[in-house]
Each structure stands twice: as structure tokens, then as C-alpha cells.
Amino acid sequence: MLTARNKGACGNQIGVAVTVSAPGITAALTPMRGGEGDPALDAALAAIFSAGHTLVISPYASKTALTTLAAWLDKVSGPLEQRGALGVGRLEWLTVRWHYTDHHR
């Protein structure tokens, strides 16, 4: 039996494969399932609030995770802190490619 340590929904996305090379032996494979929800980001973001991080990446695609990250960015870059920061969240349905060329070289 294979069990993911992360009990969240991202554990369901772990790819599993089996190869049997012995004659007469078969294997049954069941995709990962049963993970629900993702870890809350509130405590982690609160712990790094005053550390001055300018880039925060969240591997979670849930609306809750993205909303929490957005609220953290609002606090960091708001009128009291005025620090620049960039937050990156994963969206399962969107692939973004970004290219920047410095024309001032």
C-alpha cells in the first residue's frame, strides 16, 4: 500500500506506475485518491511576514489558498509596510508563460 504524507488534494495528483517482468505475475494499480483540502497557509505566511521576503510561491490551487496569498500580499505592500512582493499561485486550468527582455542593455 502506498500512502501520501500530504493528506491534501495535491496527493491525488501523484503519478503511480507499476511494471512486472516476471512471467505469471500480475499487478493491480489504483490511482491515488481520497485527499481532500490543502494545508492552510495562514500560519506560514504570518511566520514570514516580517522577514522581508519578496517572492512567495504557493503550490496550491484552491480558492482559499489563493485568497490567503492575495490578502498577505495586500498587507505586505499596503500603506503601512510599503514593501514590494510577488506572489505566485498554481492554477490547474491555466498555463502562463512570461518572457522579459531588457532593452536597456
Side-chain angles (χ1 to χ4, degrees):
M1 174 180 260
L2 180 64
T3 304
R5 284 184 184 236
N6 183 323
K7 304 299 183 203
C10 65
N12 296 338
Q13 299 172 1
I14 297 172
V16 181
V18 63
T19 302
V20 177
S21 59
I25 303 289
T26 59
L29 184 64
T30 304
M32 300 291 276
R33 60 182 163 62
E36 295 182 12
D38 292 317
L41 298 176
D42 302 271
L45 292 175
I48 66 167
F49 183 77
S50 62
H53 296 289
T54 58
L55 175 62
V56 176
I57 301 172
S58 169
Y60 306 115
S62 69
K63 183 176 181 178
T64 302
L66 296 175
T67 302
T68 301
L69 180 58
W72 183 84
L73 288 167
D74 287 343
K75 284 170 61 177
V76 168
S77 61
L80 293 177
E81 294 291 323
Q82 297 182 5
R83 293 183 277 148
L86 177 66
V88 179
R90 185 176 68 91
L91 297 176
E92 294 175 346
W93 48 268
L94 177 67
T95 300
V96 176
R97 289 191 173 91
W98 181 59
H99 176 74
Y100 172 75
T101 304
D102 186 358
H103 296 287
H104 299 289
R105 285 188 175 180

